[in-house]
Amino acid sequence: MNKEEMTDAIVASKKAKGLTWQEIASVVGKGETWVTSACLGMNSTSEEVANSICKALDLDSDVAVALQEFPHKAWDKIVPQDPV
């Protein structure tokens, strides 16, 4: 699973469950901006945080592995993609 597929799975589950980024961050115990950035593929997480995010969203281990991978920030766009 790549970062784009990971993000699609996370956003779909977030929407289906009616959760906000703040609610997910609260469950994980990390800051909202950082958790959002990691879930959108712009940061990597520890195994513990990845598993917490996946548990909150009922996602499988493929997503957890992708959350831990080093991100590739694309700067070839007019507007940078880095939410931080």
Side-chain angles (χ1 to χ4, degrees):
M1 171 173 283
N2 64 37
K3 288 282 190 180
E4 286 182 16
E5 294 166 333
M6 174 204 78
T7 297
D8 289 344
I10 289 171
V11 170
S13 181
K14 174 187 169 290
K15 183 177 180 180
K17 292 181 161 297
L19 295 172
T20 65
W21 292 118
Q22 178 60 49
E23 290 168 329
I24 296 167
S26 292
V27 169
V28 174
K30 301 291 183 188
E32 178 181 5
T33 301
W34 182 81
V35 169
T36 303
S37 179
C39 288
L40 295 179
M42 293 299 180
N43 283 303
S44 60
T45 69
S46 67
E47 182 177 4
E48 179 182 350
V49 171
N51 290 334
S52 294
I53 291 169
C54 289
K55 184 176 179 183
L57 295 171
D58 292 326
L59 295 170
D60 62 26
S61 62
D62 288 346
V63 175
V65 170
L67 279 164
Q68 295 171 68
E69 293 176 357
F70 186 77
H72 174 72
K73 298 184 181 188
W75 298 108
D76 60 342
K77 310 255 191 262
I78 293 172
V79 178
Q81 296 176 334
D82 190 344
V84 186

